[in-house]
Structure formats: C-alpha cells, structure tokens
Amino acid sequence: MPFNKKYIRNFCVIAHIDHGKSTICDRILENTGAVEKRNLSAQMLDDMELEQERGITIKLNAVTVTFKSKDGNEYVFNLIDTPGHVDFTYEVSRSLAACEGAVLVVDATQGVQAQTLANVYLAVDNDLMIIPVINKIDLPSADIPLAKKEIESKIGLSTNDVVCVSGKTGVGIDEMLEKVVELVPPPSGDSEAPLEALIFDSYYDSYRGVVVLVRVKNGRVKVGDKIRLMQSGKTYTVTEVGIRTPKELSTGVLECGEVGYLTATIKDIKDVFPGETVTLENKPAKEPLPGYRKIMPMVYCGLYPVDSQKYGDLKDALEKLTLNDASLVYEPESSKALGFGFRAGFLGLLHMDVIQERLEREYNLNLILTAPSVKYRVNLTNGDVLTIDNPSEMPEPSKISSIEEPYVLASIMTPKDYVGSIMQLCQDKRGIYQDLIYFDDTRETLKYLIPLSEIIFNFFDRLKSVSRGYASLDYTLDTFRPSDLAKMDIYLNGDPIDALSTVVYRKSAYSRGLAIVSKLKEIIPKQQFEVPLQAAINGKVIARSDIKSVRKDVLAKCYGGDISRKKKLLEKQKEGKKRMKAIGSVEVPQEAFMALLSIDEGNEK
Amino acid sequence: MAESLYVHIPFCAHICGYCDFTKVIYQEEWAFSYVDRLIEQLDGLGINKPLKTVYVGGGTPTSLPSCLLKKVLAKLSTYLDKSDYEFTIEANPENLTEEKLLIMRECGVNRLSIGVESSHLKFLKLMGRGHNFEEAKEKVALAKKCGFTNITCDLIYGLPTETLEDVKQDVVALLSLDVPHLSTYCLSVNPGTSWHNQGYKEMDDEDAANQYDLILNEFRKAGYKRYEVSNFSKPGFESRHNLTYWHDEEYYAAGLGASGYLSGERFTFTKNLLAYLKGDFEGERETLSEKDLKEEFFLTNLRLEEGFSLENYKERFGSSFLSDYKEQLDKLKSDGLLVFEGDRVRCTDKGILLLDRVLLSLFK
C-alpha cells in the first residue's frame, strides 16, 4: 500500500478510572486484527504488573494497527494510550498532542465523572476531535439516556455521534471504529518540510539505548538521518525506525503524520523528555513544537533500606529504575536515625508511591520513606543562599534571615457550583488569588498561586471532596516566595529524629505538631516502657503525646487447637517486626515516617 | 505414646457472639448421626493403651439429649485407665440437669467444667448466654449433690464497658461457689465471630491488665494458685488434661474441627459438618519442623507458672537452652520478663502477661 496520510487516524482513548478504557483498547486491538485474542494478556496496553494491579496506566504506549472500513479502504490507526493522574498531566498533554482525535469513554452506569472532565479539558486544549462513547451498556444498571444527557450538559458535547458499546461483549466496537474513520481528521503537515517529530514517550533498552516514541508532524525521518533534539541541543544518528504493532516492526522510515519509534544510541533517558522536538541536523525546523515543559521533580523524600546492609541493592535498583524514568532523580544522603540512604525527587506523590512499590516489589527491598518535602531557599544572615530539600539540613534559626518556598500556579477547572468552596480551600491552603476565567456556560477556571508544600499535603484529595470530584487540577512551578516557616522536630523518647523533621508554616505549627504526635502515637506500637513523643520548634516543645507502656499481650485461651494458630500469628508478627526500624530502643514501623501525609488537616482548624 | 484424648461436641442451643470454636445450632437429626460418626472415628483412632485423661468440650456437650450423652460417655469410659484418670466434660448451666449429671457420674466422669462466665445479668445477656448467675449457682450445688468434687468454673472479663468494680463483684460471686478450680479469660474478639463483624473492640491492654491483676490477687488470697496464665486451682486440682497441652505433649482427638497432635504431626479434622456426617473427617495436617517444635515448646510451657526445666529442653532438642538463646536471654532477664531458678526457667508475673513479647524474642 503506497503511503498516503489521508488513510491515517491518530487517536487516543480517554476515560475516568474504571470506566473501561483498557478493555476498549483491547477490543480495538482485537477488532483490527492486529493482535489475536489469545495473545491478549488481560489488558495489553497496561503492561507493567503494577499498572495492571492498580488499574491505572502510568507509562504511555502506542500501537499501530490497520482497520478495513466499510468504505472499502484500509486505514492505519495509531492508538496512543494516556496515563490518568494529576502527577502525569503534562505527559498526558504531550501524548494528546500526538493525536488528532480522542475516543471519550463514559460508563453507562456512572455517567460523566470528574476525571472524564479533566481529560476532556486537556483534549480540548489540544484541539482534538472528541468522539463520545458510552460503555458497559451490557450491564443491567446501564442508563444510556442519562449518560447522554450528562455528556451534553456536563461536557457540552453533541451526542449526535455518540456510540454505545460494550467493551466486555464487543458490541458497537466496529461502529466506534467507523466513527474514528469518519470524524477524526487525517494528519495534516508537509512531508517535504523540515522534520518536526514530537517525542511523547521513551523507554530504555539495554541493547539499543533509549527507544523514543514519536509523532512526525512535518517532514520524515529515516535510518541514517542525523537528528538534533531542539530543546537539549544534542545530536544523534538514527539507527532504527519503525512502528509498534505492538511488537516492534522496523520500517526504516516514518512519514509525516505517522506514529512510531526510533533509536539513535541515546544513552540517557534524561536527554529525551516528553514534548521534545526531533529535527534534522542539516535541515532543521525553525522552531521547536509548542507545549514543551521541562519536567522537574516537585517532591523530595529520603529513601532508606530497613536493613542497612541493603544499601548497595537500593543503589543498584535506583540506577535501573532511572534508566526508564526520566523524572526520577536521586543522590546519596545519610540520617542519624536511619543510616545511609538516598534523597530522591519525584513528580508528585503518586509517582513517589509507584517508585516505592516498584522498589519493594521488583527489587525485593524493605524501604523507609521519610516525609516528603519540597525544595526551600534559605537566605542566611551572612548573605549566602542555601537550597535544601531535606528539612533536617535547615540551619540554626539564628543564622536564617528568611526562608522562601516554591509556589505553583494552579489552574483549577470546575463546574460553576463549586467555585465558592474551592476558593475557600485555596485560601485555607495559603493560596493567592490570581484569576477566574470564564470557560463556557457551565465551567470556570480558577487560578491561584499556592505553596507547593500545601499542594502536596492532601490538596488534591480535598479538592476532589469539595467539588464532588468534578474539579481538575493542573499546576506549573512558579516562583519562590518568602513565607513564615520554621523547622519542626519530632522527639521520640527524648531524642530528635531527623527523618521526621518537617518545615511548617509557623501559624499552623501548633495544630500540625499535635496532629503529628497523635498520629505517631497511633502508628508506633506500645513498647515495654512509656515513650514520650514531642513536637518542637527551635527546641521548644509545642505538642506532646505519650505512648503508654504495654502491659498485656498474652493470649487468654491456649488449648489444643489454638497452638498452631497462635504460632502462625506470632511468626507473622515476627515478619512484621523485620519491617520496623529500631531507633534507639524504640521499634518504629515504616508508616510512621509517612504519618505527615495521612493527617486529616480538616481537624486542624 | 499419647495418653490423652480430646472429643469435640459442636452443638449449642444458641451461638454466643464472641465464640470462635467450631459450633453449630443443635438439630436432632444431625446430633444422632454425629454421635454415630464420632464413635466410628474413635474406633479408627487405634487407641491401644488406657488413657490418663479424656476431655469432652464444645460447643456445648450438655446440649446433647441424655440418650446421646450416655452413648458418647459410655464409649469414652472404655478407654480410661481405671486406676488413675481424669475425665472432664464441659457443661452449660442452662442445659445441665440432674439426669445428665447422674449419667456423667455413672460413666466415670470425675471433673466438670461449668460455663458460669459472669455474675452480671447484663453481661450474660450481651454474650448471648441462656442463664443467670443464680441458676449457675444452683447447678454447681446440684453437681456437688450428685457427687462431683472436682469442679471448675469459667469467668470472662474484659467485656465491652466492663469496669473494675464489675470484675470485683464477679470475683466475689465466683469464690462463693466454692469450687477447687477456676479459669478466667480475657475477651478476645476474633475474626469470623459475630462480635468481630459487628465491630466490637477488645479492651485496651492496660485496663485488661488491671482487671487481670485484681482477679489474680483475689484468687491468690482465697488460696488458689495460678498454674497457667488463665487457670487457678487449689493444690492437687490442676487440670491434668490441659497440662498435656501446656507440657507440649501429644494427644488424640475426635470430633468436628477437633485438633490432635500425634507422631510429631498436628492435625485438625474437618470443620464442615456435612462432610463429617458423611464420614469424611480429614482436615488439615502440619508436620512440625525443628523450628516449629521449639516455638511450640515455648508457646505452651511458658504459659505455666512453673515454666520448664532446662533438662527437659535438653532432652527434647539435644542442646542447651542457655547457649541456644544466649543473645535473647540477657535482655529478657534484664527486662524482668524471665527468671531462672535452678534447673527451671519461667516467666515473671510481668512476663506472663507479656508472653507474646517473650515468645517473639525467642522465635527466630
């Protein structure tokens, strides 16, 4: 088949979590005949084990398939998958930028949900043609008229072209694919113009270096081309070009409008951030493609092995993970309480969570993560400026003239009804009002400058709760601004535990200190002696809670049938103890170090 | 060779919300065929030597009608070493009658365990028991009249909302029964029980420890000796059968969900009544490793006031306790949880309440 971009459709599938995106993607792969049914491991696009378990897609992926339409022509479909969490909004927007259309999945039993909106907003931002699809119509509780009504009223899309499908039974999938042919525009662009290829994902391969997924916007790229990355300025020679079906199929060239992969002996994944533009060294594009943002870690925490012998293993594991994860950064650090470990930077808390789980599961490590922190800028009285991402490095108060913290510019898109309560939330979180932008009759976008540290602690969850889940959040790092901050230390049994130190806003220090020591009291099991827990600023105790000593743990009844059961319970408990860290004479569970995150700030006022 | 036998009668007139033993509501046709299967199972155990102890527990053994009770007890009496034995049966005040007591005596039962549980009506009701304390008291008197001298009564403490004062009254009431053996159990709320599902919480360990200490002191003052965590007796009235468990010795078992220990193997028969009634007794089996054997040795023996002898440990495991656990023992001693006296090692008063901590440090 001669190449003709008129037969190409580049699209993605967007949905609220659990609305059946992955099932629909699988059906698309089946109905296009690209992958035979027996080869589908439950859901093909979510290929990491962890993704399958959490049901969320973290890493993007793209697949090229062919579809024989009723109009008699064969079309090339490039299906691009997207992750669905605020930590990865930027990546989503880059993969959307590689498409012309989006299939929007709405669950017939649940209607339009918050995340649906958030993704629709991103799709609208990228000028995509949106095809609404109502899924799960096979379920008895499906309410198609209501789902349609919500698509019209909440999203503002016409339902003339809505398709009703069941990912489970396959009903309607072909009709949906015909709509893709009919409604999604073929890619535009000029094959003879200078190369502009958008990188929307990449992964590391130990034989070929970094494999880059691209969408060619203009021009073409082939093996042997000398390419330049316009943001990093680095140049490479292309060694392999092809498409993924999902198996890699080397084609030697990617034409304008196509989606595929290329390799060019790129050694470091940090050289190919999503949003980067690939062009030709000898015939460069004038400007890089729009929308590029440098990905920067937002949140830092300490990573320590529970068993200090495993430091080397942790180091190896982090090295391996960073091969595939451009946004993960780390460097060695040490803690008096926890020994040797690393300070690592993440895009957000979900990213941190995912990394922790991968380290524990794939590398069989028992880890302690310290409370997450942002980067602070400390102005010293002698005129020096320190940047710290670990609260325990905070200098003596007498040496500090001021502390600045990073603010983000948060854009919160919300149905009008929730504007009031979201503004209240932003005020509570020390937000500075910037703007309220009319979007359409039902929606508005609020803009606030908010300290990043406030965003980390519970902001997203509270935003979801005050907006019944409908508000969406995107944020970009803004400037550092001075704040009235102080380092709060936690004393366990009279000793300061550096790994539990945090930087707090002074006005909420008392309530936060109390919340922390109370939470720790719940988490740290009783010891044989009473253990005082104190929160202190500059040596002055502001909150205290005591863990009483344990008096009784013996099993009351232990007769014939109880012996095996009790033995097994104790063995399990013994395993649990191995996951605790002995600090002085106190055994502290891993969760204690994350206690800060689970504090319900609603109680602070 | 095992010299003890546990027999389980799973039927109850009604189910108590906290109970996690194998039990079903009494139904006549089940009970009849159950007793037949039980006797078949006993015949198949290969008991070829007279037994020193037999214990009939439940469930509620006295929920059986007299004819079935007689059938079971008569069968069991054939296994006894008539020259020296302990034959115990558990009874609930509500279905303990003079007729049943006489059947027990006739079949050689010489120890009776009565589930008194509390002297407070509100707690008895909360627990779903079908008796009041007066009735319990009458049944104890009736048992004595029928010739029972070796009687034990149970008390449950640590109940939701129970105060120290409530426990004090229970202690006085229990002592007034004037029986030579008492057991006192802190309520535990185990998964699978109705109380667990309803979200009942166990008492805070400090309050529970205070209640326990009160009971311990009062019972000691009244001349009872604590010989195990939850068991108290006048001299010579310790439960020989239960000591089999705590000395970590082997025993036969029969009945639905009953656990036995023979030839280094622990097993539990099926907990599925319908399977049992079909004669399909098999449940779970576990062959014990060297590690299991040591852990269970500590788990049982350290519940005893007298602990265990170093010589006994050496006989069983061929090595010295003191050198096997050198690292752990210093800390256990300095924390005041374990003491050594001559050949014996035992928990202190503090250690016996913190037995899980002691065991966790001895588990490897």
Side-chain angles (χ1 to χ4, degrees):
Chain A
M1 186 181 66
F3 174 78
N4 186 340
K5 65 179 191 284
K6 149 174 146 189
Y7 297 115
I8 296 178
R9 298 292 181 271
N10 296 319
F11 68 101
C12 57
V13 179
I14 55 183
H16 180 73
I17 200 162
D18 289 339
H19 278 198
K21 181 174 79 172
S22 298
T23 326
I24 288 199
C25 288
D26 288 351
R27 287 290 172 188
I28 295 175
L29 299 188
E30 274 176 47
N31 284 35
T32 50
V35 187
E36 299 210 11
K37 201 169 178 178
R38 63 174 178 275
N39 288 336
L40 288 176
S41 79
Q43 294 171 345
M44 290 230 33
L45 290 183
D46 293 354
D47 57 3
M48 282 200 301
E49 184 194 353
L50 196 60
E51 292 186 15
Q52 290 199 353
E53 262 181 38
R54 298 183 153 215
I56 52 171
T57 308
I58 297 151
K59 210 65 186 146
L60 312 176
N61 231 321
V63 181
T64 303
V65 295
T66 57
F67 177 67
K68 185 101 182 163
S69 166
K70 280 192 291 202
D71 69 11
N73 295 310
E74 188 165 83
Y75 289 83
V76 172
F77 281 1
N78 289 306
L79 172 58
I80 295 172
D81 201 11
T82 57
H85 188 276
V86 66
D87 281 4
F88 303 105
T89 300
Y90 172 69
E91 278 110 319
V92 178
S93 80
R94 288 312 81 206
S95 55
L96 295 182
C99 304
E100 278 80 32
V103 167
L104 168 70
V105 182
V106 175
D107 188 322
T109 67
Q110 296 187 46
V112 173
Q113 301 276 317
Q115 202 182 18
T116 322
L117 279 185
N119 285 323
V120 168
Y121 299 158
L122 281 174
V124 170
D125 276 350
N126 283 284
D127 293 326
L128 302 194
M129 175 68 208
I130 299 172
I131 302 173
V133 164
I134 298 174
N135 189 25
K136 303 197 189 175
I137 57 165
D138 56 302
L139 294 181
S141 52
D143 187 343
I144 297 170
L146 183 70
K148 276 192 183 169
K149 207 177 132 205
E150 289 195 354
I151 290 170
E152 282 177 353
S153 63
K154 289 189 179 165
I155 306 180
L157 284 176
S158 150
T159 50
N160 292 335
D161 289 312
V162 79
V163 191
C164 294
V165 306
S166 161
K168 197 167 148 206
T169 65
V171 168
I173 299 291
D174 270 331
E175 193 194 333
M176 177 184 87
L177 295 174
E178 293 292 350
K179 287 281 180 198
V180 169
V181 169
E182 185 190 325
L183 299 174
V184 175
S188 53
D190 178 357
S191 298
E192 304 312 318
L195 173 66
E196 284 176 329
L198 172 74
I199 296 180
F200 61 88
D201 194 14
S202 57
Y203 55 90
Y204 188 81
D205 179 299
S206 44
Y207 297 104
R208 300 173 295 174
V210 178
V211 179
V212 179
L213 300 187
V214 294
R215 156 71 196 274
V216 182
K217 292 279 192 177
N218 279 302
R220 65 171 66 84
V221 62
K222 55 186 191 303
V223 172
D225 279 349
K226 206 148 177 136
I227 53 167
R228 187 148 66 90
L229 304 182
M230 297 183 80
Q231 301 290 350
S232 75
K234 296 197 172 166
T235 58
Y236 304 90
T237 302
V238 175
T239 51
E240 197 184 331
V241 174
I243 56 171
R244 294 150 52 90
T245 67
K247 279 203 191 97
E248 285 176 0
L249 188 68
S250 177
T251 57
V253 63
L254 281 176
E255 295 284 351
C256 174
E258 287 196 298
V259 172
Y261 72 92
L262 66 82
T263 64
T265 49
I266 302 169
K267 296 217 171 52
D268 190 348
I269 203 154
K270 292 191 164 49
D271 290 337
V272 283
F273 281 106
E276 172 71 276
T277 306
V278 184
T279 193
L280 292 179
E281 169 75 349
N282 56 10
K283 188 185 166 192
K286 280 203 191 80
E287 281 177 3
L289 293 162
Y292 175 79
R293 242 189 242 173
K294 190 161 166 39
I295 298 185
M296 293 208 295
M298 295 271 194
V299 181
Y300 298 80
C301 81
L303 283 176
Y304 292 84
V306 173
D307 174 0
S308 49
Q309 310 269 330
K310 301 275 184 173
Y311 175 82
D313 295 358
L314 175 57
K315 184 163 179 268
D316 292 348
L318 282 169
E319 266 168 23
K320 284 189 188 129
L321 282 185
T322 43
L323 286 178
N324 261 316
D325 189 337
S327 39
L328 173 66
V329 297
Y330 66 94
E331 56 186 35
E333 71 167 13
S334 66
S335 148
K336 277 190 206 105
L338 302 176
F340 289 99
F342 297 91
R343 176 118 309 228
F346 308 91
L347 296 177
L349 293 182
L350 177 79
H351 186 216
M352 183 170 97
D353 230 24
V354 167
I355 297 295
Q356 178 191 7
E357 279 201 49
R358 292 192 62 186
L359 287 168
E360 297 203 328
R361 186 175 313 190
E362 294 169 29
Y363 298 91
N364 203 18
L365 292 162
N366 263 339
L367 294 180
I368 286 174
L369 274 70
T370 64
S373 168
V374 300
K375 243 184 177 66
Y376 293 95
R377 194 178 282 163
V378 186
N379 300 308
L380 301 179
T381 45
N382 67 6
D384 287 356
V385 179
L386 277 180
T387 305
I388 63 163
D389 53 27
N390 180 348
S392 68
E393 287 166 4
M394 189 68 78
E396 292 288 305
S398 60
K399 293 183 181 154
I400 298 173
S401 75
S402 69
I403 304 175
E404 295 172 45
E405 65 178 327
Y407 273 63
V408 296
L409 179 62
S411 303
I412 301 163
M413 193 180 271
T414 172
K416 276 185 171 155
D417 296 353
Y418 307 113
V419 167
S421 39
I422 293 172
M423 288 178 83
Q424 183 60 49
L425 170 64
C426 292
Q427 303 290 353
D428 291 350
K429 294 286 191 176
R430 300 190 279 136
I432 304 165
Y433 173 83
Q434 301 294 299
D435 207 352
L436 178 64
I437 304 161
Y438 170 86
F439 185 83
D440 61 26
D441 284 348
T442 54
R443 284 163 291 177
E444 290 181 334
T445 301
L446 267 169
K447 298 223 179 231
Y448 266 89
L449 283 172
I450 303 178
L452 175 60
S453 65
E454 298 285 354
I455 295 273
I456 298 176
F457 295 116
N458 260 342
F459 183 84
F460 192 60
D461 289 344
R462 289 202 52 204
L463 176 66
K464 289 288 166 192
S465 98
V466 299
S467 68
R468 293 174 191 257
Y470 283 111
S472 72
L473 168 70
D474 185 25
Y475 55 83
T476 51
L477 216 46
D478 198 73
T479 51
F480 278 78
R481 288 163 170 265
S483 286
D484 188 10
L485 301 171
K487 181 177 72 147
M488 182 165 73
D489 296 313
I490 301 294
Y491 289 72
L492 180 68
N493 208 18
D495 299 321
I497 306 303
D498 56 2
L500 288 171
S501 292
T502 50
V503 174
V504 294
Y505 182 53
R506 207 182 289 267
K507 281 186 184 141
S508 57
Y510 173 77
S511 54
R512 186 170 280 223
L514 194 61
I516 292 174
V517 291
S518 311
K519 187 79 193 173
L520 287 172
K521 184 183 169 180
E522 275 171 41
I523 295 174
I524 299 173
K526 287 183 173 182
Q527 317 278 320
Q528 218 180 301
F529 42 89
E530 186 165 287
V531 178
L533 275 164
Q534 294 154 306
I537 287 182
N538 198 12
K540 182 173 166 260
V541 174
I542 58 166
R544 172 175 181 146
S545 185
D546 294 339
I547 304 171
K548 289 195 173 168
S549 60
V550 61
R551 290 273 313 277
K552 179 168 174 293
D553 60 20
V554 66
L555 177 71
K557 279 194 173 193
C558 191
Y559 297 97
D562 305 313
I563 296 167
S564 295
R565 189 166 41 166
K566 183 63 187 172
K567 179 186 65 189
K568 281 168 193 151
L569 280 175
L570 284 168
E571 280 171 351
K572 215 167 140 193
Q573 228 176 310
K574 185 90 187 176
E575 279 308 302
K577 271 174 102 81
K578 288 181 187 157
R579 292 172 66 87
M580 293 193 198
K581 189 87 186 174
I583 296 183
S585 46
V586 182
E587 279 168 340
V588 183
Q590 289 167 302
E591 311 91 87
F593 298 93
M594 297 294 283
L596 272 177
L597 282 181
S598 47
I599 289 168
D600 182 5
E601 295 197 36
N603 296 338
E604 276 186 31
K605 287 189 295 287
Chain B
M1 202 62 193
E3 295 184 322
S4 295
L5 165 67
Y6 175 78
V7 176
H8 193 74
I9 306 294
F11 302 106
C12 290
H14 38 77
I15 304 295
C16 303
Y18 57 89
C19 173
D20 73 333
F21 288 102
T22 308
K23 75 273 171 187
V24 289
I25 293 275
Y26 176 81
Q27 281 195 40
E28 192 177 271
E29 76 246 47
W30 283 350
F32 274 81
S33 100
Y34 183 81
V35 167
D36 288 343
R37 293 293 91 70
L38 180 66
I39 287 172
E40 282 167 28
Q41 193 186 21
L42 284 165
D43 285 336
L45 290 181
I47 302 173
N48 49 20
K49 208 182 125 193
L51 300 176
K52 295 285 186 195
T53 75
V54 172
Y55 191 104
V56 185
T60 316
T62 47
S63 69
L64 289 179
S66 300
C67 63
L68 292 181
L69 186 67
K70 186 169 183 173
K71 201 166 171 184
V72 172
L73 297 181
K75 174 70 182 174
L76 294 174
S77 71
T78 64
Y79 296 110
L80 296 170
D81 176 351
K82 293 284 173 353
S83 66
D84 172 34
Y85 72 88
E86 178 193 274
F87 187 3
T88 309
I89 186 167
E90 289 178 354
N92 266 12
E94 58 176 318
N95 43 31
L96 185 60
T97 60
E98 182 157 7
E99 187 192 9
K100 287 179 188 172
L101 283 164
L102 292 173
I103 290 169
M104 293 171 190
R105 291 301 298 160
E106 198 183 305
C107 297
V109 176
N110 60 7
R111 185 168 182 271
L112 188 62
S113 169
I114 302 178
V116 175
E117 318 303 1
S118 176
S119 66
H120 301 278
L121 192 58
K122 63 171 180 176
F123 290 128
L124 288 168
K125 279 194 169 155
L126 179 70
M127 284 188 274
R129 310 295 292 202
H131 67 270
N132 59 41
F133 184 70
E134 279 313 305
E135 200 179 342
K137 199 167 180 169
E138 283 162 23
K139 294 298 165 72
V140 171
L142 186 62
K144 286 181 185 170
K145 195 189 115 198
C146 292
F148 280 98
T149 50
N150 192 352
I151 299 173
T152 177
C153 293
D154 290 352
L155 172 71
I156 296 183
Y157 68 95
L159 288 161
T161 75
E162 193 171 24
T163 64
L164 213 51
E165 188 53 39
D166 293 330
V167 176
K168 206 177 234 167
Q169 289 166 15
D170 274 347
V171 166
V172 171
L174 226 66
L175 290 174
S176 77
L177 297 175
D178 191 26
V179 292
H181 188 285
L182 295 166
S183 302
T184 173
Y185 304 109
C186 186
L187 176 79
S188 52
V189 180
N190 292 318
T193 62
S194 126
W195 279 19
H196 187 267
N197 298 336
Q198 290 170 49
Y200 278 95
K201 294 273 174 291
E202 288 175 10
M203 183 171 274
D204 172 78
D205 75 298
E206 182 163 0
D207 295 333
N210 289 337
Q211 297 191 353
Y212 180 90
D213 283 347
L214 170 86
I215 295 167
L216 176 65
N217 289 332
E218 293 303 314
F219 282 6
R220 278 179 171 167
K221 265 194 257 169
Y224 293 86
K225 179 179 181 296
R226 175 180 68 184
Y227 66 101
E228 191 261 358
V229 176
S230 306
N231 284 277
F232 299 79
S233 80
K234 294 277 174 71
F237 285 91
E238 298 84 2
S239 166
R240 289 172 64 183
H241 181 83
N242 290 336
L243 281 170
T244 310
Y245 304 138
W246 301 320
H247 286 145
D248 198 23
E249 284 160 1
E250 300 198 337
Y251 51 95
Y252 293 101
L256 184 71
S259 297
Y261 181 24
L262 292 170
S263 312
E265 186 181 62
R266 286 200 186 269
F267 54 90
T268 301
F269 293 123
T270 183
K271 296 182 177 179
N272 178 333
L273 181 68
L274 297 181
Y276 190 90
L277 294 183
K278 281 187 211 143
D280 187 2
F281 304 135
E282 202 48 38
E284 291 171 19
R285 285 181 182 273
E286 182 195 9
T287 305
L288 302 182
S289 66
E290 179 80 5
K291 177 173 174 280
D292 291 322
L293 290 170
K294 280 190 185 167
E295 288 177 357
E296 292 183 1
F297 179 81
F298 298 135
L299 193 154
T300 50
N301 281 278
L302 286 174
R303 297 184 67 84
L304 295 170
E305 184 84 38
E306 60 173 24
F308 61 87
S309 91
L310 298 174
E311 194 51 41
N312 184 2
Y313 178 93
K314 194 164 194 170
E315 260 168 45
R316 286 204 180 210
F317 303 111
S319 57
S320 146
F321 177 66
L322 297 181
S323 48
D324 286 358
Y325 294 90
K326 199 172 180 329
E327 284 168 48
Q328 294 89 326
L329 292 179
D330 285 344
K331 174 114 175 69
L332 287 170
K333 276 194 280 186
S334 65
D335 284 349
L337 300 176
L338 272 192
V339 281
F340 290 83
E341 285 164 352
D343 175 49
R344 300 201 78 85
V345 53
R346 63 171 179 88
C347 284
T348 59
D349 275 0
K350 179 176 166 191
I352 214 160
L353 282 190
L354 293 175
L355 185 56
D356 277 7
R357 292 186 82 81
V358 174
L359 293 172
L360 281 173
S361 63
L362 295 176
F363 277 32
K364 288 188 172 168

